[in-house]
Amino acid sequence: MTDKAAMQALARLVPPGSRVLDLGCGNGAMLDYLQRERGCSGYGVEIDDANVLACVQRGVDVIQLNLDEGLAMFDDNSFDVVLQIDTLQHLRNAETMLRETARVGRTGVVAFPNFAHWPNRLSILRGRMPVTRRLPYQWYDTPNIRVGTYKDFEVLATKNSLRILDAFGLQDGEEVRWLPNARAGTAVFHFEHA
Amino acid sequence: MSFFATPQSLHFPEVLPLQSGASLRDYHLAYETYGTLNADRSNAVLVCHALNASHHVAGVYAGQDKSEGWWDNMIGPGKPVDTDRFFVIGVNNLGSCFGSTGPMHTHPDTGEVYGADFPVVTVEDWVNAQARLLDRLGIAQLAAVLGGSLGGMQALSWTLQYPERMRHAVVVASAPNLTAENIAFNEVARRAIVTDPDFHGGHFYRHGVIPKRGLRIARMIGHITYLSDDVMNEKFGRQLREGLELKYSTQDIEFQIESYLRYQGDKFSDYFDANTYLLITRALDYFDPARAHAGNLTRALARATAKFLLVSFTTDWRFSPQRSREIVKALLDNRRRVSYAEIDAPHGHDAFLLDDARYMGVMRSYFDSIAKELQA
C-alpha cells in the first residue's frame, strides 16, 4: 500500500506539525512526506536493514528495533500520532502492540489489509485462500500472520477501550465509507485511548 | 593503495585543569588531518580513538608497509567518511603512548619521567584537550564528532561539554557507562600489570625494564572480550596447534586459541605502555555522565543538541546493543534527533573496526546527508 493516493489519505489523519512515531516505517516515505508536506517531526521504527538504510539515505530519523520486543524505549503519550501502516498483520503480539501504540501516542492510526474484502470472500467461497494485488502471497509463505477484518478490528478496539475517532476503508486510494468491510481492501482506524 | 598521512604535533604551554583537581601543563597533542578545510570551516570531522588506537586514523606512512590507520576502511577519499568532502582530524589522547604527552614523558616540574605520577585523565579531560586543539586549528564548530567504543564515549561527552561545537555526533559500539562486568575485566587487566615484578609501582622506566608479562595478560583478556564466542569457534574451534595427538601437558601450548592469544599478547607488549593501559582503562571505568544527575541519563543528555547516529552490533557483549539503546532512549526522552542501527554482525565488539556492508552503508549514507547539509 505504497501508492501516493493511499499515503495522502492516511496523512490527512495526521494534523500538521504533529510529532509522529511510524511503527514499521518501511523506507521512510510516509514520514518523509509528513515532514515535507505537513511540517511534522518524528521517528520511524524498522527491523529491516535495507529499510533502515533507505531511511538514513532520505534523512528520516529511524530506530532499528524489533516491534515484537515492545516499545519500552518510548514514554507514555510522547507522540501526537503513532502510525501502524501495514504493520499490525506482521506482529506476533498484535494486541500488545495495539495497546502500546495507544500508550505511546495521544492518537493512533492503524491500517491493515481487510480480509473481508469481497474478492477475498469469493476466493474463500471457492475454497482457496485469497491471492490478490493487495495480498500477493500464498498461504504458506505469507508474512501476514494476523488475518483480520475491518469488523474484527472494531471488536478488538472496543475490548481495549480505544475510542474510535474515525474509521473507513481504502480502495484504489479512495476512502470507502459505505460497507467498508466488504468494499475495501484496506481497513483504516484513527483512535485514541479512552 | 591508500593516501599518505603525516603526523603532526602541537605544544600547549598553558595549564589544563583536570577533573580530578590535578592539572597538566606543557603538554603536546599528536594529531593528523586528512582532506581540506573548506572556506567557511564547516566541514571538520573529529575522530576520537578507543583503548589501543591513536591519531593515525587513516592513510599510510610513506615507506612503511602495513601502516594503515586504524579506521582506514571507514575514512579516506571515497570512503564512507569521505575526505574529498570532509576535513578529518584524528587526535591522540593525553596519557597515551603514541605521541601525545603521556607517562613516559618528562614531568615539567620535576624533570623526571612521569611514570605513575602522570595524573588520572578522564574522558571529559580528553574532550577539553581536543577542544583546545580545535581552537588552535581555527575550528569553531565540527560538522561531526565520531568515535567507536571509548571513542564513542568521547563523542557523547563532546555533545554534553560543548553542545554548540558540533552539528552531528556518531557514536558506534559504545555505552553511557561501563557495567560491573566491564569494570571487572578492566580490573583483572590492571592487576596483571600492577603485580608484574617489572612494574615497580609504575616507575619501571627508571629500572630499564618493561612489565611485559602483565601487559600480555591484560591484552589476552581484553582480546577475548572483543570477540564473540561464535567467531572464536569458527576461527579456532578446538584445533590443536600441532598435529592431531594431545600432548598431555599443562604448560605447553596445546590449542590454536592459546597460540593466538599469546601472539596477540606478545605483539601488544612490544608497543603498548603499561601506565597508559592503567590510565585508559580507568578513564573507561570513570565515564558516567549520568552520575552528576543521580544516575538519570535522560537528564544528563538534556544538554546535547547535536543530531545523533548510534550504531551497535548484535554480538557485541562488551558494549551490547542494550547500552546503545539506553542512549537512544535518553535522546528520545529529550526529543533530540537520533537514528539507531543495530547491525547483525557476528564479530563481537571488534565489528566496529571491520567491513560489514550494512554498517558501512549506514555510515556512508549518514555522512552523505551531512555533506548535503554543507552544500545547502
Side-chain angles (χ1 to χ4, degrees):
Chain A
M1 195 182 45
T2 49
D3 57 293
K4 195 152 186 215
M7 190 166 79
Q8 286 168 341
L10 292 166
R12 282 196 288 274
L13 300 173
V14 181
S18 295
R19 187 172 141 84
V20 179
L21 182 66
D22 188 353
L23 302 177
C25 66
N27 62 16
M30 182 70 170
L31 265 177
D32 197 15
Y33 178 83
L34 288 171
Q35 285 170 6
R36 280 186 292 105
E37 304 295 326
R38 294 179 81 81
C40 296
S41 63
Y43 314 88
V45 175
E46 248 301 324
I47 187 170
D48 179 72
D49 292 327
N51 280 335
V52 168
L53 181 61
C55 289
V56 174
Q57 273 167 348
R58 71 196 319 159
V60 164
D61 289 339
V62 61
I63 313 290
Q64 189 162 25
L65 280 184
N66 181 355
L67 288 175
D68 275 325
E69 289 171 15
L71 293 180
M73 197 181 269
F74 303 97
D75 270 351
D76 296 359
N77 293 313
S78 53
F79 290 89
D80 300 314
V81 184
V82 177
L83 302 175
Q84 262 196 59
I85 297 164
D86 266 1
T87 300
L88 187 80
Q89 70 267 25
H90 305 307
L91 299 176
R92 190 162 294 281
N93 53 6
E95 184 178 12
T96 308
M97 192 48 58
L98 183 61
R99 277 192 220 130
E100 282 286 272
T101 297
R103 174 184 70 79
V104 168
R106 276 184 274 281
T107 65
V109 174
V110 168
F112 61 94
N114 171 29
F115 276 78
H117 189 207
W118 67 265
N120 302 340
R121 297 186 191 206
L122 269 183
S123 184
I124 297 283
L125 275 177
R126 283 199 301 266
R128 297 293 306 274
M129 283 298 279
V131 179
T132 63
R133 193 161 53 85
R134 180 78 176 96
L135 298 166
Y137 303 98
Q138 293 291 341
W139 64 277
Y140 48 81
D141 67 4
T142 180
N144 301 319
I145 60 172
R146 298 288 169 227
V147 179
T149 69
Y150 185 99
K151 269 197 175 167
D152 287 332
F153 191 88
E154 287 180 333
V155 175
L156 183 66
T158 306
K159 175 172 177 259
N160 285 283
S161 309
L162 301 180
R163 185 182 302 129
I164 293 174
L165 302 169
D166 193 11
F168 52 88
L170 269 183
Q171 185 59 38
D172 303 321
E174 299 286 332
E175 287 184 16
V176 177
R177 290 183 178 274
W178 180 61
L179 300 179
N181 196 37
R183 296 182 58 240
T186 298
V188 181
F189 287 83
H190 184 202
F191 58 85
E192 62 183 8
H193 47 95
Chain B
M1 184 60 204
S2 200
F3 61 97
F4 292 122
T6 311
Q8 301 174 74
S9 181
L10 272 177
H11 175 237
F12 294 80
E14 65 271 30
V15 169
L16 179 73
L18 303 174
Q19 208 181 352
S20 65
S23 62
L24 274 170
R25 68 177 173 86
D26 269 326
Y27 58 92
H28 286 82
L29 288 179
Y31 69 100
E32 291 181 8
T33 69
Y34 325 107
T36 310
L37 190 60
N38 62 8
D40 56 1
R41 299 177 169 265
S42 61
N43 68 333
V45 174
L46 178 70
V47 181
C48 305
H49 70 75
L51 203 161
N52 67 331
S54 71
H55 51 295
H56 183 42
V57 179
V60 295
Y61 292 143
Q64 284 184 46
D65 282 348
K66 294 187 175 176
S67 62
E68 285 85 5
W70 57 271
W71 225 351
D72 191 62
N73 57 342
M74 182 68 75
I75 292 157
K79 306 265 173 80
V81 182
D82 188 348
T83 51
D84 290 336
R85 298 190 286 187
F86 294 107
F87 177 67
V88 177
I89 307 157
V91 54
N92 189 213
N93 284 325
L94 290 168
S96 178
C97 50
F98 295 115
S100 291
T101 299
M104 67 300 302
H105 294 122
T106 305
H107 194 312
D109 292 345
T110 64
E112 305 255 352
V113 170
Y114 276 109
D117 298 329
F118 194 87
V120 166
V121 280
T122 63
V123 166
E124 287 81 357
D125 296 330
W126 286 336
V127 168
N128 286 333
Q130 292 163 9
R132 287 186 176 182
L133 175 67
L134 294 193
D135 293 342
R136 290 277 287 274
L137 297 177
I139 294 161
Q141 190 189 55
L142 295 163
V145 56
L146 159 66
S149 188
L150 173 59
M153 289 175 165
Q154 291 159 62
L156 179 60
S157 202
W158 257 101
T159 69
L160 309 179
Q161 292 175 252
Y162 299 97
E164 70 292 347
R165 288 194 78 167
M166 88 292 304
R167 297 190 294 282
H168 294 265
V170 179
V171 178
V172 182
S174 197
N177 61 22
L178 290 194
T179 59
E181 183 186 58
N182 243 322
I183 296 172
F185 282 124
N186 283 347
E187 176 59 4
V188 173
R190 281 192 296 264
R191 292 311 295 167
I193 290 169
V194 168
T195 57
D196 185 324
D198 285 339
F199 183 65
H200 295 287
H203 292 292
F204 50 89
Y205 317 93
R206 290 175 198 164
H207 298 261
V209 291
I210 295 170
K212 284 198 170 190
R213 279 162 289 187
L215 274 168
R216 283 190 199 108
I217 293 166
R219 180 57 174 173
M220 285 165 84
I221 186 148
H223 208 88
I224 295 166
T225 69
Y226 304 146
L227 302 177
S228 69
D229 194 20
D230 283 351
V231 157
M232 238 194 233
N233 266 324
E234 193 181 307
K235 214 165 165 182
F236 307 104
R238 296 184 51 82
Q239 261 177 66
L240 302 181
R241 190 168 68 139
E242 291 160 1
L244 298 168
E245 299 301 315
L246 299 179
K247 288 187 202 159
Y248 295 102
S249 160
T250 55
Q251 295 187 27
D252 286 350
I253 291 181
E254 185 68 280
F255 295 97
Q256 276 292 7
I257 182 64
E258 297 170 313
S259 168
Y260 173 77
L261 283 177
R262 288 197 199 186
Y263 169 75
Q264 291 293 338
D266 285 347
K267 205 170 69 168
F268 188 72
S269 69
D270 281 343
Y271 71 81
F272 211 82
D273 180 82
N275 283 312
T276 293
Y277 203 92
L278 304 184
L279 286 164
I280 296 187
T281 54
R282 254 311 182 228
L284 270 160
D285 294 355
Y286 280 143
F287 182 68
D288 186 8
R291 188 167 184 270
H293 302 267
N296 186 322
L297 189 64
T298 295
R299 288 221 300 275
L301 298 200
R303 280 179 63 77
T305 53
K307 295 178 198 166
F308 279 78
L309 171 67
L310 285 103
V311 180
S312 74
F313 302 91
T314 50
T315 54
D316 183 352
W317 54 281
R318 187 111 199 228
F319 290 80
S320 72
Q322 179 50 37
R323 306 310 318 277
S324 286
R325 285 189 215 138
E326 288 173 38
I327 300 173
V328 173
K329 176 170 177 23
L331 291 167
L332 290 171
D333 289 344
N334 283 299
R335 306 194 159 206
R336 297 297 181 261
R337 290 201 57 184
V338 52
S339 281
Y340 171 58
E342 199 168 292
I343 308 292
D344 187 14
H347 305 99
H349 188 53
D350 261 359
F352 90 89
L353 295 168
L354 302 175
D355 284 322
D356 176 290
R358 292 157 296 181
Y359 169 41
M360 290 289 157
V362 167
M363 295 291 278
R364 181 181 290 279
S365 298
Y366 194 79
F367 277 91
D368 278 350
S369 69
I370 300 176
K372 276 186 210 132
E373 287 174 12
L374 288 172
Q375 290 155 2

Short mmCIF file of all heavy atoms in Angstrom, two decimals, chain B residues 128-175:
data_model
loop_
_atom_site.label_atom_id
_atom_site.label_comp_id
_atom_site.label_asym_id
_atom_site.label_seq_id
_atom_site.Cartn_x
_atom_site.Cartn_y
_atom_site.Cartn_z
N ASN B 128 38.23 18.18 26.66
CA ASN B 128 38.71 19.56 26.85
C ASN B 128 40.01 19.80 26.08
O ASN B 128 40.19 20.86 25.47
CB ASN B 128 38.93 19.83 28.35
CG ASN B 128 37.61 20.01 29.07
OD1 ASN B 128 36.61 20.41 28.49
ND2 ASN B 128 37.59 19.68 30.36
N ALA B 129 40.91 18.81 26.12
CA ALA B 129 42.17 18.96 25.39
C ALA B 129 41.91 19.00 23.88
O ALA B 129 42.52 19.80 23.15
CB ALA B 129 43.11 17.81 25.74
N GLN B 130 40.98 18.13 23.40
CA GLN B 130 40.65 18.12 21.97
C GLN B 130 40.05 19.47 21.56
O GLN B 130 40.31 19.97 20.46
CB GLN B 130 39.66 16.98 21.68
CG GLN B 130 40.28 15.59 21.83
CD GLN B 130 39.23 14.48 21.95
OE1 GLN B 130 38.03 14.71 21.75
NE2 GLN B 130 39.68 13.28 22.28
N ALA B 131 39.25 20.07 22.46
CA ALA B 131 38.63 21.36 22.14
C ALA B 131 39.72 22.43 21.95
O ALA B 131 39.60 23.30 21.08
CB ALA B 131 37.66 21.76 23.24
N ARG B 132 40.77 22.35 22.76
CA ARG B 132 41.86 23.31 22.60
C ARG B 132 42.59 23.11 21.27
O ARG B 132 43.04 24.08 20.66
CB ARG B 132 42.85 23.18 23.75
CG ARG B 132 42.30 23.73 25.04
CD ARG B 132 43.34 23.72 26.12
NE ARG B 132 42.82 24.35 27.33
CZ ARG B 132 43.54 24.51 28.43
NH1 ARG B 132 44.81 24.11 28.46
NH2 ARG B 132 43.03 25.08 29.49
N LEU B 133 42.69 21.85 20.86
CA LEU B 133 43.30 21.59 19.54
C LEU B 133 42.45 22.23 18.44
O LEU B 133 42.98 22.89 17.53
CB LEU B 133 43.43 20.07 19.30
CG LEU B 133 43.94 19.69 17.91
CD1 LEU B 133 45.39 20.13 17.71
CD2 LEU B 133 43.81 18.18 17.66
N LEU B 134 41.13 22.09 18.55
CA LEU B 134 40.25 22.70 17.55
C LEU B 134 40.40 24.22 17.56
O LEU B 134 40.41 24.86 16.50
CB LEU B 134 38.78 22.34 17.81
CG LEU B 134 38.36 20.89 17.65
CD1 LEU B 134 36.84 20.79 17.63
CD2 LEU B 134 38.93 20.27 16.37
N ASP B 135 40.54 24.81 18.76
CA ASP B 135 40.76 26.26 18.85
C ASP B 135 41.99 26.65 18.03
O ASP B 135 41.96 27.60 17.25
CB ASP B 135 40.97 26.69 20.30
CG ASP B 135 39.72 26.52 21.15
OD1 ASP B 135 38.62 26.39 20.56
OD2 ASP B 135 39.84 26.50 22.39
N ARG B 136 43.06 25.88 18.23
CA ARG B 136 44.31 26.20 17.54
C ARG B 136 44.19 26.01 16.03
O ARG B 136 44.85 26.70 15.25
CB ARG B 136 45.44 25.34 18.09
CG ARG B 136 45.84 25.71 19.52
CD ARG B 136 46.81 26.89 19.55
NE ARG B 136 48.12 26.49 19.12
CZ ARG B 136 49.06 25.95 19.90
NH1 ARG B 136 48.83 25.80 21.20
NH2 ARG B 136 50.21 25.60 19.42
N LEU B 137 43.35 25.03 15.62
CA LEU B 137 43.16 24.80 14.19
C LEU B 137 42.13 25.77 13.60
O LEU B 137 41.86 25.73 12.40
CB LEU B 137 42.72 23.35 13.93
CG LEU B 137 43.72 22.25 14.34
CD1 LEU B 137 43.12 20.87 14.10
CD2 LEU B 137 45.04 22.39 13.58
N GLY B 138 41.54 26.60 14.46
CA GLY B 138 40.58 27.59 13.98
C GLY B 138 39.24 27.00 13.60
O GLY B 138 38.57 27.49 12.69
N ILE B 139 38.83 25.94 14.31
CA ILE B 139 37.54 25.31 14.01
C ILE B 139 36.58 25.56 15.17
O ILE B 139 36.76 25.03 16.27
CB ILE B 139 37.72 23.80 13.77
CG1 ILE B 139 38.55 23.61 12.50
CG2 ILE B 139 36.37 23.11 13.63
CD1 ILE B 139 39.18 22.26 12.39
N ALA B 140 35.58 26.39 14.92
CA ALA B 140 34.63 26.74 15.97
C ALA B 140 33.59 25.64 16.15
O ALA B 140 33.17 25.34 17.26
CB ALA B 140 33.95 28.07 15.64
N GLN B 141 33.15 25.08 15.02
CA GLN B 141 32.09 24.06 15.08
C GLN B 141 32.40 22.92 14.13
O GLN B 141 32.72 23.13 12.96
CB GLN B 141 30.73 24.67 14.72
CG GLN B 141 29.59 23.73 15.01
CD GLN B 141 28.27 24.24 14.47
OE1 GLN B 141 28.13 24.54 13.29
NE2 GLN B 141 27.29 24.34 15.34
N LEU B 142 32.30 21.69 14.66
CA LEU B 142 32.51 20.49 13.84
C LEU B 142 31.25 20.14 13.07
O LEU B 142 30.13 20.35 13.57
CB LEU B 142 32.85 19.31 14.75
CG LEU B 142 34.15 19.38 15.55
CD1 LEU B 142 34.13 18.37 16.69
CD2 LEU B 142 35.34 19.11 14.62
N ALA B 143 31.44 19.61 11.86
CA ALA B 143 30.30 19.01 11.18
C ALA B 143 29.86 17.78 11.97
O ALA B 143 28.67 17.52 12.14
CB ALA B 143 30.66 18.62 9.75
N ALA B 144 30.84 17.02 12.48
CA ALA B 144 30.51 15.82 13.26
C ALA B 144 31.67 15.44 14.16
O ALA B 144 32.83 15.69 13.84
CB ALA B 144 30.18 14.65 12.33
N VAL B 145 31.33 14.83 15.28
CA VAL B 145 32.32 14.16 16.11
C VAL B 145 31.96 12.67 16.06
O VAL B 145 30.78 12.31 16.11
CB VAL B 145 32.34 14.74 17.54
CG1 VAL B 145 30.98 14.69 18.21
CG2 VAL B 145 33.39 14.03 18.39
N LEU B 146 32.99 11.84 15.91
CA LEU B 146 32.76 10.43 15.58
C LEU B 146 33.70 9.57 16.42
O LEU B 146 34.89 9.88 16.57
CB LEU B 146 33.06 10.25 14.08
CG LEU B 146 33.38 8.86 13.53
CD1 LEU B 146 32.18 7.94 13.65
CD2 LEU B 146 33.80 8.98 12.06
N GLY B 147 33.16 8.47 16.96
CA GLY B 147 34.03 7.55 17.68
C GLY B 147 33.35 6.22 17.94
O GLY B 147 32.12 6.14 17.98
N GLY B 148 34.18 5.18 18.12
CA GLY B 148 33.67 3.85 18.46
C GLY B 148 34.18 3.45 19.83
O GLY B 148 35.28 3.83 20.23
N SER B 149 33.37 2.70 20.58
CA SER B 149 33.78 2.18 21.89
C SER B 149 34.11 3.34 22.83
O SER B 149 33.29 4.25 23.00
CB SER B 149 34.97 1.24 21.68
OG SER B 149 35.31 0.57 22.86
N LEU B 150 35.32 3.37 23.39
CA LEU B 150 35.74 4.51 24.22
C LEU B 150 35.71 5.80 23.41
O LEU B 150 35.44 6.88 23.96
CB LEU B 150 37.14 4.23 24.78
CG LEU B 150 37.84 5.34 25.55
CD1 LEU B 150 37.03 5.78 26.76
CD2 LEU B 150 39.23 4.87 25.99
N GLY B 151 35.97 5.71 22.11
CA GLY B 151 35.88 6.89 21.24
C GLY B 151 34.44 7.40 21.16
O GLY B 151 34.21 8.61 21.07
N GLY B 152 33.48 6.47 21.21
CA GLY B 152 32.07 6.86 21.22
C GLY B 152 31.70 7.60 22.50
O GLY B 152 30.88 8.52 22.49
N MET B 153 32.33 7.18 23.61
CA MET B 153 32.09 7.89 24.88
C MET B 153 32.57 9.34 24.76
O MET B 153 31.92 10.26 25.25
CB MET B 153 32.83 7.20 26.02
CG MET B 153 32.23 5.85 26.41
SD MET B 153 33.26 5.04 27.66
CE MET B 153 32.14 3.77 28.27
N GLN B 154 33.72 9.53 24.09
CA GLN B 154 34.22 10.90 23.90
C GLN B 154 33.27 11.70 23.03
O GLN B 154 32.98 12.87 23.31
CB GLN B 154 35.62 10.88 23.29
CG GLN B 154 36.69 10.34 24.23
CD GLN B 154 37.92 9.85 23.48
OE1 GLN B 154 38.58 10.61 22.81
NE2 GLN B 154 38.22 8.57 23.60
N ALA B 155 32.76 11.06 21.96
CA ALA B 155 31.82 11.76 21.07
C ALA B 155 30.58 12.18 21.87
O ALA B 155 30.10 13.32 21.75
CB ALA B 155 31.44 10.86 19.90
N LEU B 156 30.07 11.26 22.71
CA LEU B 156 28.90 11.58 23.53
C LEU B 156 29.23 12.72 24.49
O LEU B 156 28.45 13.65 24.67
CB LEU B 156 28.46 10.32 24.29
CG LEU B 156 27.26 10.48 25.23
CD1 LEU B 156 26.02 10.93 24.45
CD2 LEU B 156 26.97 9.17 25.97
N SER B 157 30.40 12.65 25.10
CA SER B 157 30.80 13.66 26.07
C SER B 157 30.95 15.04 25.40
O SER B 157 30.61 16.06 26.00
CB SER B 157 32.10 13.26 26.77
OG SER B 157 32.23 13.92 27.99
N TRP B 158 31.44 15.03 24.18
CA TRP B 158 31.54 16.28 23.41
C TRP B 158 30.19 16.99 23.35
O TRP B 158 30.10 18.20 23.52
CB TRP B 158 31.99 15.97 21.97
CG TRP B 158 33.43 16.28 21.71
CD1 TRP B 158 34.46 15.38 21.67
CD2 TRP B 158 34.01 17.56 21.43
NE1 TRP B 158 35.63 16.03 21.39
CE2 TRP B 158 35.39 17.36 21.24
CE3 TRP B 158 33.50 18.85 21.32
CZ2 TRP B 158 36.27 18.41 20.95
CZ3 TRP B 158 34.37 19.90 21.04
CH2 TRP B 158 35.74 19.68 20.86
N THR B 159 29.12 16.20 23.10
CA THR B 159 27.80 16.81 22.93
C THR B 159 27.29 17.41 24.23
O THR B 159 26.38 18.22 24.21
CB THR B 159 26.76 15.80 22.40
OG1 THR B 159 26.48 14.83 23.42
CG2 THR B 159 27.25 15.11 21.14
N LEU B 160 27.87 16.97 25.36
CA LEU B 160 27.44 17.49 26.66
C LEU B 160 28.34 18.63 27.13
O LEU B 160 27.87 19.58 27.75
CB LEU B 160 27.45 16.36 27.70
CG LEU B 160 26.71 15.10 27.29
CD1 LEU B 160 26.80 14.03 28.37
CD2 LEU B 160 25.25 15.41 26.98
N GLN B 161 29.63 18.53 26.82
CA GLN B 161 30.58 19.56 27.26
C GLN B 161 30.59 20.78 26.36
O GLN B 161 30.80 21.89 26.82
CB GLN B 161 31.99 18.97 27.34
CG GLN B 161 32.17 17.94 28.44
CD GLN B 161 33.55 17.30 28.39
OE1 GLN B 161 33.70 16.14 28.01
NE2 GLN B 161 34.58 18.06 28.77
N TYR B 162 30.43 20.53 25.06
CA TYR B 162 30.48 21.63 24.08
C TYR B 162 29.31 21.48 23.09
O TYR B 162 29.54 21.30 21.89
CB TYR B 162 31.80 21.61 23.32
CG TYR B 162 33.02 21.81 24.22
CD1 TYR B 162 33.74 20.72 24.68
CD2 TYR B 162 33.42 23.09 24.60
CE1 TYR B 162 34.84 20.88 25.50
CE2 TYR B 162 34.52 23.27 25.42
CZ TYR B 162 35.23 22.17 25.87
OH TYR B 162 36.32 22.34 26.68
N PRO B 163 28.07 21.55 23.58
CA PRO B 163 26.93 21.22 22.71
C PRO B 163 26.87 22.09 21.45
O PRO B 163 26.36 21.65 20.43
CB PRO B 163 25.71 21.44 23.61
CG PRO B 163 26.20 22.14 24.82
CD PRO B 163 27.65 21.86 24.95
N GLU B 164 27.41 23.30 21.54
CA GLU B 164 27.30 24.22 20.39
C GLU B 164 28.42 24.00 19.38
O GLU B 164 28.43 24.63 18.33
CB GLU B 164 27.31 25.67 20.89
CG GLU B 164 28.64 26.17 21.43
CD GLU B 164 29.09 25.52 22.75
OE1 GLU B 164 28.29 24.82 23.43
OE2 GLU B 164 30.25 25.69 23.11
N ARG B 165 29.35 23.08 19.70
CA ARG B 165 30.52 22.97 18.83
C ARG B 165 30.45 21.82 17.84
O ARG B 165 31.42 21.51 17.18
CB ARG B 165 31.81 22.88 19.67
CG ARG B 165 32.16 24.20 20.32
CD ARG B 165 33.57 24.22 20.84
NE ARG B 165 34.55 24.42 19.78
CZ ARG B 165 35.82 24.72 20.00
NH1 ARG B 165 36.27 24.85 21.24
NH2 ARG B 165 36.65 24.87 19.00
N MET B 166 29.31 21.14 17.72
CA MET B 166 29.17 20.14 16.66
C MET B 166 27.70 20.07 16.23
O MET B 166 26.81 20.38 17.00
CB MET B 166 29.68 18.75 17.08
CG MET B 166 28.69 17.87 17.77
SD MET B 166 28.22 18.45 19.38
CE MET B 166 29.82 18.56 20.14
N ARG B 167 27.52 19.67 14.96
CA ARG B 167 26.15 19.52 14.46
C ARG B 167 25.70 18.07 14.54
O ARG B 167 24.51 17.80 14.68
CB ARG B 167 26.06 20.05 13.03
CG ARG B 167 26.36 21.55 12.93
CD ARG B 167 26.05 22.14 11.56
NE ARG B 167 26.90 21.61 10.51
CZ ARG B 167 28.16 22.01 10.29
NH1 ARG B 167 28.70 22.94 11.05
NH2 ARG B 167 28.87 21.47 9.32
N HIS B 168 26.64 17.15 14.43
CA HIS B 168 26.28 15.72 14.48
C HIS B 168 27.23 14.97 15.41
O HIS B 168 28.41 15.34 15.52
CB HIS B 168 26.38 15.08 13.09
CG HIS B 168 25.38 15.63 12.12
ND1 HIS B 168 24.16 15.04 11.88
CD2 HIS B 168 25.41 16.74 11.34
CE1 HIS B 168 23.49 15.74 10.99
NE2 HIS B 168 24.22 16.78 10.63
N ALA B 169 26.71 13.92 16.02
CA ALA B 169 27.54 13.02 16.82
C ALA B 169 27.26 11.59 16.36
O ALA B 169 26.09 11.18 16.28
CB ALA B 169 27.23 13.17 18.30
N VAL B 170 28.32 10.87 16.03
CA VAL B 170 28.17 9.49 15.58
C VAL B 170 28.87 8.59 16.61
O VAL B 170 30.09 8.66 16.79
CB VAL B 170 28.76 9.28 14.17
CG1 VAL B 170 28.61 7.84 13.74
CG2 VAL B 170 28.07 10.22 13.18
N VAL B 171 28.07 7.80 17.29
CA VAL B 171 28.53 7.02 18.45
C VAL B 171 28.35 5.54 18.11
O VAL B 171 27.23 5.06 17.97
CB VAL B 171 27.71 7.40 19.70
CG1 VAL B 171 28.13 6.56 20.90
CG2 VAL B 171 27.85 8.89 20.00
N VAL B 172 29.48 4.82 17.96
CA VAL B 172 29.43 3.44 17.48
C VAL B 172 29.88 2.49 18.58
O VAL B 172 30.91 2.74 19.24
CB VAL B 172 30.35 3.28 16.24
CG1 VAL B 172 30.27 1.86 15.70
CG2 VAL B 172 29.98 4.28 15.15
N ALA B 173 29.14 1.40 18.78
CA ALA B 173 29.52 0.33 19.72
C ALA B 173 29.98 0.91 21.05
O ALA B 173 31.04 0.57 21.55
CB ALA B 173 30.61 -0.54 19.11
N SER B 174 29.17 1.77 21.62
CA SER B 174 29.58 2.45 22.84
C SER B 174 28.55 2.24 23.95
O SER B 174 27.69 1.37 23.85
CB SER B 174 29.81 3.93 22.54
OG SER B 174 30.56 4.52 23.57
N ALA B 175 28.68 3.02 25.01
CA ALA B 175 27.82 2.84 26.18
C ALA B 175 27.82 4.13 27.00
O ALA B 175 28.77 4.90 26.94
CB ALA B 175 28.33 1.69 27.04
#
